[in-house]
Amino acid sequence: MIGVASLQDFYREMGFINNNELETILPDGINKEIGHFNVFSIASARKKLKENKVMPYNRRTYYKISLINGYNRAEYADKSIDIPQHGLLFASPKVPYNYLPQDENQSGYFCIFTHEFLATSRSGVILDELPIFKPGGYPVFQINENQVKELKQLFEKMFQELASDYPYKYDLLRNYVLELIHYGQKLQPDIAQYTTHNATARITGLFVELLERQFPITSPGQQIELRAAKDYAERLAIHVNHLNKVLKENTGKTTSDFISSRMAQEAKILLKQTDWNVSEIAYALGFEEVAHFSNFFKKQAGLSPLAFRS
């Protein structure tokens, strides 16, 4: 079942159970002014996780960047990607993410950090506008031996700096995290690196942002606020026909195409990763009748909700 994992949840899952131990393990300066950062060895983390052989699958309240060595399967939203040897993975709080080791030979590193740690006033970037963290981006990369060596050196610098007494170490650690982010963005297809700034691109970007704000759905009682194309057009203060025209010109998809695709993605996540019944999922996605949801899902996925879940 999907949960929302806070930093405290993460450290408890790692084996630091009580509040005293949490105070000991959390680095200095973990607050909303500085934000939070930490770095781990995957081998050590797997030992801490005791009998749990996979990282918890949930919607986290923090960002995570992982360098993994070993055969793994990455799950990102409703996608599954095999990584035979080496991978670089980026996770944001917006999308459920997990990787499942497929053998016992696992090593590498990962770091976690909060939005405050890379606040624009300190880093000069807007995290959720970076291509690597945008919905529909490219968050999982297979990498070669030379790239592994380069990235390993960067993670080792993080370990050294975190343990140092340098008064500006968090500024330096921010630079290391940004270097990791830019490393990943350079691995993306060229199309992901370019943005335009005309009015139609701006409308497209605002629409996608508004769509993503409807998710994730984290409880059966939660319901999406915007359901139809006209709802989004009203929020953007434009005519629905103009919104459709802009999206079609920029992406080849209509407003309804975008909404249906994103709702189907959320439905797949909820069917696979929660124990909610179909009527609860239908309600959360704004369907008044379960039959309407079932027909919608079958059209999008080619299977009924129950067949997809089984």
Side-chain angles (χ1 to χ4, degrees):
M1 181 172 176
I2 293 177
V4 178
S6 67
L7 285 169
Q8 287 75 16
D9 294 331
F10 167 79
Y11 284 105
R12 288 190 180 97
E13 288 164 354
M14 292 284 290
F16 303 103
I17 306 299
N18 60 53
N19 290 333
N20 290 334
E21 288 175 307
L22 282 172
E23 291 175 3
T24 301
I25 192 63
L26 294 176
D28 293 337
I30 296 177
N31 53 57
K32 288 193 174 181
E33 292 181 5
I34 295 177
H36 175 71
F37 172 86
N38 212 339
V39 61
F40 299 87
S41 154
I42 286 177
S44 298
R46 280 168 62 81
K47 289 180 181 178
K48 280 288 183 184
L49 286 169
K50 299 176 181 176
E51 298 302 318
N52 188 359
K53 294 185 179 180
V54 299
M55 296 295 181
Y57 186 98
N58 45 39
R59 304 180 190 272
R60 298 178 172 88
T61 60
Y62 51 88
Y63 295 79
K64 183 178 178 184
I65 305 175
S66 306
L67 169 63
I68 59 174
N69 302 312
Y71 180 26
N72 284 268
R73 178 167 295 123
E75 294 178 346
Y76 193 86
D78 61 334
K79 301 176 180 66
S80 180
I81 303 167
D82 282 340
I83 303 171
Q85 290 184 306
H86 309 293
L88 182 62
L89 295 80
F90 294 81
S92 83
K94 290 185 176 181
V95 184
Y97 155 87
N98 183 32
Y99 67 85
L100 300 108
Q102 302 297 300
D103 61 33
E104 292 301 315
N105 186 25
Q106 299 289 321
S107 64
Y109 308 95
F110 66 92
C111 65
I112 60 174
F113 56 95
T114 58
H115 191 278
E116 291 81 9
F117 183 71
L118 282 187
T120 305
S121 59
R122 298 184 184 89
S123 65
V125 301
I126 302 175
L127 263 179
D128 291 336
E129 291 188 5
L130 292 172
I132 203 77
F133 292 123
K134 275 190 173 182
Y138 303 85
V140 180
F141 305 97
Q142 295 188 45
I143 53 178
N144 59 39
E145 295 286 352
N146 289 333
Q147 291 168 322
V148 170
K149 289 178 182 177
E150 293 176 358
L151 291 164
K152 181 181 178 183
Q153 290 176 353
L154 191 51
F155 274 99
E156 288 176 347
K157 286 181 181 179
M158 290 180 177
F159 276 107
Q160 293 169 7
E161 202 55 51
L162 193 60
S164 77
D165 295 326
Y166 180 50
Y168 302 104
K169 67 180 181 181
Y170 284 104
D171 292 328
L172 189 50
L173 285 164
R174 283 188 194 94
N175 289 335
Y176 291 152
V177 172
L178 286 170
E179 189 173 344
L180 272 178
I181 290 170
H182 287 297
Y183 197 105
Q185 291 188 161
K186 287 169 71 176
L187 295 174
Q188 295 184 97
D190 289 342
I191 190 172
Q193 303 296 331
Y194 297 98
T195 58
T196 57
H197 300 283
N198 55 38
T200 58
R202 180 175 178 274
I203 291 171
T204 301
L206 289 172
F207 165 75
V208 172
E209 180 182 349
L210 196 55
L211 177 61
E212 286 300 323
R213 284 182 190 171
Q214 308 307 305
F215 307 98
I217 296 171
T218 56
S219 68
Q222 179 185 346
Q223 189 176 47
I224 61 172
E225 185 178 353
L226 306 178
R227 177 72 173 76
K230 64 180 179 61
D231 299 329
Y232 288 88
E234 287 174 3
R235 284 293 182 91
L236 295 170
I238 58 177
H239 195 280
V240 66
N241 291 343
H242 182 57
L243 177 58
N244 275 322
K245 182 174 181 289
V246 165
L247 292 175
K248 192 73 174 177
E249 288 177 352
N250 275 268
T251 68
K253 299 179 180 179
T254 67
T255 313
S256 295
D257 290 338
F258 269 101
I259 296 169
S260 296
S261 176
R262 185 62 182 87
M263 287 176 60
Q265 176 184 314
E266 193 72 8
K268 290 176 183 178
I269 292 169
L270 296 174
L271 286 165
K272 287 291 188 182
Q273 302 299 330
T274 76
D275 57 3
W276 305 354
N277 62 44
V278 174
S279 63
E280 289 174 323
I281 295 173
Y283 170 82
L285 291 172
F287 290 89
E288 293 183 3
E289 301 289 340
V290 175
H292 294 164
F293 168 67
S294 296
N295 290 336
F296 162 81
F297 188 83
K298 190 169 184 178
K299 183 178 179 180
Q300 293 291 317
L303 296 169
S304 70
L306 292 178
F308 180 83
R309 171 172 270 176
S310 62

